[in-house]
Amino acid sequence: MVSPLASSGLSEVDDNIEKYRIKKMLKNLEEAKGNGTSMISLIIPPGEQIAKMQKKLIDEGGKASNIKSRVNRQSVEAAITSTRERLKLYSKTPTNGLVIYCGTVFSEDGRSEKKYTIDFEPFKPINRSLYYCGERFDVEPLKELLEDDKKFGFIVVDGNGALFATLQGSSKSILQVIKVDLPKKHGRGGQSALRFARLREEKRHNYLRKVAEIAVQCFITNDRANVAGLVLAGSADFKTRLSQSGIFDPRLAEKIVKIVDVSYGFENGFNQAITLSEDTLGNVKYVQEKKLITKFFEEINLDSPKIVFGVEDTMKMFEMSAVELIIVWENLEYIRVTLKNPEAEESATVIYLRKDALPTDAKTYKDSKTGTEYEVIEVAPLNEWLIDNFRKFGAKLQFVSDKSQEGFQFAKGFGGCGGFLRYSVSTFDEAGSNENNEGDFDPETDFI
């Protein structure tokens, strides 16, 4: 079997993990809400002096003293002080810049409050300076970090209508859809046949003109193309006529990287156009994910002994160091729980539970068969545990989204967790499965 790392083109493991971390952080930051305007968002771009931002914070502290509400004033002053203290930890701005979020936010119960402070160097340069104090954190700069450098535009055009869309990273966006009812070619008409043909051609020309005008609205910003490349797709000759006609904006014409024939129109044609353009879009995350998961499905269809899927089976293989590449859905909601029987000297046992099946304040688990209570040693989100430990087991880790059809099938139909094995391993050893698994826990039945 060809190495999945070679076939997928997904070699930037660290970049993938950093993007996952930023996504999780974004979710937490977006959900955070403060009382008043006491939540500070601070960004220092590479090369900017720390002292310059410290001076700005001193000035903002002076302005905060004028806030009439005593509670809000104290919260803002405390947040500014905490931010200044955090800045003192840095003698100079890190290579990729510095991001700090600080403030007093409501707890999950919505009643009590807690202090929240986080500072980090982003995984790539953040070329934007920001100071914002409000009731929510400003996370737009972090969202920009997640965007791939290249965005591709798609125009799917045929005799039924046209679709305008973009593909950037793993995100597909449909910008606009128009539908038309064009006259068909026919042999009737007698002496009027030429007039019918002329009217038909005139309507087709007006349709293409409208497509060209909408393309300018969608893909031109500030007199420049806002996409790195443009793919034209369709089932008839409209796409070719559009690209060769004088009505198509030359700024977009020079961005055409591929013209493909598709069997469908609208969104189905868009998906097919992405697949047919994979050679051109090789570095786009959406295409990389499709290739990787397609390879995974192909190996399953071949009944390959070097494939494993499902959380339980995959993690068994993973902790045997048998997994070369582990693939995990980025929104997988599983918890890794480590248990120990306080009355026995046996090694700790690990079980995997869905997040909604785990009590947040669990200290013990009770065996429903024996009544024995097991001490909870560790509770960790599975995705976070994998990030911290995948290198110890000699594996590569790849997070995938469910934006593509293949990704959705992997997330919903295969448990959102699977892997390519280094060598063939039987998940359940027939020779000793009964005695080896006799003491294993079944989270569905063993605990109450």
Side-chain angles (χ1 to χ4, degrees), residues 53-72:
M53 189 56 74
Q54 282 281 24
K55 183 178 182 304
K56 182 173 181 62
L57 287 172
I58 293 173
D59 294 340
E60 292 295 331
K63 295 177 184 177
S65 62
N66 297 322
I67 298 174
K68 293 182 179 180
S69 169
R70 181 183 62 85
V71 175
N72 191 28

Side-chain angles (χ1 to χ4, degrees), residues 362-379:
K363 301 295 183 187
T364 61
Y365 271 99
K366 189 173 183 180
D367 189 326
S368 60
K369 297 176 182 177
T370 65
T372 304
E373 284 196 350
Y374 290 83
E375 181 183 353
V376 176
I377 305 297
E378 181 186 34
V379 176

Side-chain angles (χ1 to χ4, degrees), residues 304-324:
S304 170
K306 293 186 179 181
I307 287 291
V308 64
F309 57 86
V311 172
E312 293 279 349
D313 293 348
T314 302
M315 291 309 299
K316 284 180 182 178
M317 296 296 100
F318 180 82
E319 297 196 26
M320 290 170 58
S321 297
V323 177
E324 179 182 7

